[in-house]
Amino acid sequence: MNYMEELGAKAKTASRAIAGAGTAEKDAALTAVSDALKANIDRIIEANTRDMEAAAANGMSAAMQDRLKLDEKRINAIAAAVLKVRALPDPIGEEIAGWLRPNGLRIRQVRVPMGVIGIIFESRPNVTVDAAVLCLKAGNAVILRGGKEAIHSNTCLVQIMQEALESAGFPRETVQLVEKTDRETAADMMRLNGYLDVLIPRGGAGLIQAVVKQATVPVIETGAGNCHVFVDASAKLDMAVEIADNAKTQRPSVCNAIETLLVHKEIADSFLPAVKARFDQHNVIIHGDETVQRVLGACVIPVTEEDYYKEYGDYEIAIRVVDSVETAVSHILQYSTHHSESIVTESMENAEYFQTHLDSAAVYVNASTRFTDGEEFGFGAEIGISTQKLHARGPMGLLALTTMQYRVTGTGQIR
């Protein structure tokens, strides 16, 4: 039995304990986790400082360092998010449907835990807690594998959660961290059949595709975020500037930030200088087509087709001028990762066309793509943003971490 199989076996045993726990027991454990995080802020910051020092030494970008950093405010926010999950209705045991067959069989469709969930993610240590507590509330055990750049932070956070779980009467192994960060261990996790019921990758496109292609366990594809805003000819320009700026610069490293801005040709001459003035406050690098170059000048890097596929994750954007909403939709269908798209428009007809002709998980009218988030959607914390179409789609909250079971009661029927 290799290292990952040992973790899997422990998780399988722990999953039976958590699956049978009642709402009050799970909520008490979540309260203990939240309290423990707040009680150990200095301990968490000390561990995170080691990761931040290594990140700076290894030349990690400022945007990625921002994803990695934990301070007192962020830790308190993580602890508060745990309590938001505690406050959510417990989905386990919910009767989804029920009916009586002509032969007298009573059939109920009931929501149940998945069992053991594996999560592979990159440099955001808040994911460590979000994922763990969502799995716990949904009655699952979880195996977490973060990136090596956050290993000290993640180890500390998981140890604190394990201590809290033990104090609440649950097995430590309800939440486990893969402490080996080599590729072989990651590959073993992707092949942990018989132990993992589902594997969820959360991170950049490279990580997600590696898991999708290599895993032999079931996978929920999440997160790659080549998102778009289209500014229609009828858009209120002030609103459009606010939305485009927020969607790009409020937190450029996350998956619901936009990477391409599409602008209708009729408003390009007035809109482009206005949005550039806002982007300049963040030193956003612009890759633009010929029209963008003509309007904004030599500061624009000529755009390539490859740029339209990029998830920059930084203060960098591609801008294209288009001649219609149809052209904008065609562009998005070709280059998007089917995450989140937005149109800024005063035309109900164009808004409806945009929403009905795109197949992304979230399609907005007159709002920033930054709202594609479990908490913003009212789900509490999230496990990721699913960009696939089976089982779960969009922000994945508690319901996405459950499955269903048919419970059938008879009076001696045989067939």
Side-chain angles (χ1 to χ4, degrees):
M1 184 175 284
N2 65 28
Y3 172 71
M4 282 308 310
E5 288 172 333
E6 290 176 4
L7 293 186
K10 292 175 181 177
K12 203 75 172 177
T13 300
S15 72
R16 298 181 185 117
I18 187 69
T23 302
E25 296 170 283
K26 292 186 290 188
D27 287 351
L30 292 169
T31 301
V33 168
S34 180
D35 290 345
L37 291 169
K38 289 184 287 188
N40 287 278
I41 288 175
D42 290 344
R43 178 178 165 189
I44 297 168
I45 290 175
E46 181 181 355
N48 182 250
T49 299
R50 297 172 67 186
D51 290 328
M52 292 298 296
E53 288 171 350
N58 292 329
M60 181 185 285
S61 71
M64 294 303 291
Q65 287 191 48
D66 177 63
R67 290 166 74 101
L68 178 60
K69 183 177 177 59
L70 291 175
D71 54 24
E72 183 173 354
K73 181 179 179 181
R74 287 187 177 181
I75 296 166
N76 279 322
I78 292 169
V82 175
L83 298 182
K84 289 181 180 179
V85 171
R86 183 194 65 182
L88 295 171
D90 187 351
I92 302 305
E94 173 193 352
E95 185 169 313
I96 303 167
W99 59 95
L100 183 66
R101 296 294 297 146
N103 62 5
L105 285 178
R106 185 172 299 280
I107 302 174
R108 293 186 302 136
Q109 190 182 40
V110 178
R111 199 174 295 282
V112 296
M114 281 194 165
V116 179
I117 296 176
I119 302 173
I120 296 182
F121 57 101
E122 294 178 325
S123 64
R124 293 173 65 189
N126 65 296
V127 174
T128 307
V129 179
D130 287 352
V133 299
L134 278 168
C135 289
L136 173 63
K137 181 79 176 192
N140 301 293
V142 64
I143 300 174
L144 302 160
R145 187 190 187 278
K148 62 182 179 181
E149 66 280 354
I151 188 62
H152 297 104
S153 305
N154 290 337
T155 300
C156 180
L157 289 167
V158 169
Q159 287 174 349
I160 290 168
M161 287 191 287
Q162 288 178 330
E163 292 161 8
L165 288 169
E166 274 194 318
S167 74
F170 286 103
R172 290 177 65 89
E173 294 79 14
T174 304
V175 178
Q176 294 182 91
L177 178 72
V178 180
E179 296 185 8
K180 296 182 178 181
T181 58
D182 57 279
R183 290 186 179 182
E184 183 179 350
T185 305
D188 287 343
M189 187 176 185
M190 297 178 206
R191 297 189 293 264
L192 207 55
N193 299 76
Y195 299 104
L196 281 187
D197 292 287
V198 68
L199 180 59
I200 304 171
R202 180 169 173 171
L207 169 68
I208 293 163
Q209 287 308 306
V211 173
V212 169
K213 291 175 182 177
Q214 296 177 38
T216 58
V217 298
V219 173
I220 298 177
E221 187 172 349
T222 73
N226 185 6
C227 304
H228 300 73
V229 163
F230 168 52
V231 182
D232 191 26
S234 66
K236 293 180 178 178
L237 296 192
D238 288 349
M239 178 194 293
V241 169
E242 291 291 336
I243 288 172
D245 179 56
N246 178 263
K248 176 72 259 184
T249 70
Q250 197 253 346
R251 200 169 183 190
S253 61
V254 293
C255 63
N256 56 21
I258 63 167
E259 308 298 358
T260 296
L261 176 62
L262 303 171
V263 181
H264 196 287
K265 64 181 181 181
E266 291 182 14
I267 49 94
D269 286 347
S270 54
F271 175 75
L272 288 171
V275 78
K276 178 183 179 298
R278 290 293 291 273
F279 284 167
D280 283 349
Q281 296 176 21
H282 300 274
N283 299 314
V284 174
I285 297 168
I286 295 174
H287 301 256
D289 64 13
E290 291 182 359
T291 303
V292 178
Q293 295 172 54
R294 174 184 61 78
V295 175
L296 298 183
C299 67
V300 177
I301 300 171
V303 73
T304 66
E305 185 172 19
E306 183 184 352
D307 292 326
Y308 292 136
Y309 285 107
K310 282 184 180 177
E311 186 177 3
Y312 292 106
D314 209 337
Y315 293 103
E316 196 163 0
I317 195 167
I319 304 180
R320 179 185 176 188
V321 174
V322 297
D323 57 11
S324 66
V325 64
E326 292 82 3
T327 307
V329 165
S330 294
H331 176 103
I332 294 169
L333 288 172
Q334 180 173 352
Y335 300 105
S336 164
T337 54
H338 313 290
H339 190 299
S340 300
E341 328 296 347
S342 178
I343 183 174
V344 187
T345 186
E346 293 300 300
S347 165
M348 290 184 63
E349 181 181 355
N350 286 353
E352 183 176 1
Y353 182 91
F354 191 83
Q355 288 191 310
T356 57
H357 284 77
L358 287 175
D359 62 354
S360 297
V363 185
Y364 295 81
V365 175
N366 295 333
S368 171
T369 58
R370 287 283 288 115
F371 287 104
T372 306
D373 174 85
E375 186 170 352
E376 294 293 338
F377 274 31
F379 300 159
E382 71 182 31
I383 210 77
I385 310 291
S386 172
T387 54
Q388 65 181 36
K389 297 182 181 180
L390 294 178
H391 172 64
R393 198 167 197 215
M396 294 170 59
L398 285 176
L399 294 185
L401 301 179
T402 67
T403 184
M404 64 85 180
Q405 180 182 67
Y406 289 104
R407 296 181 178 174
V408 186
T409 303
T411 55
Q413 289 89 338
I414 60 173
R415 181 178 179 184

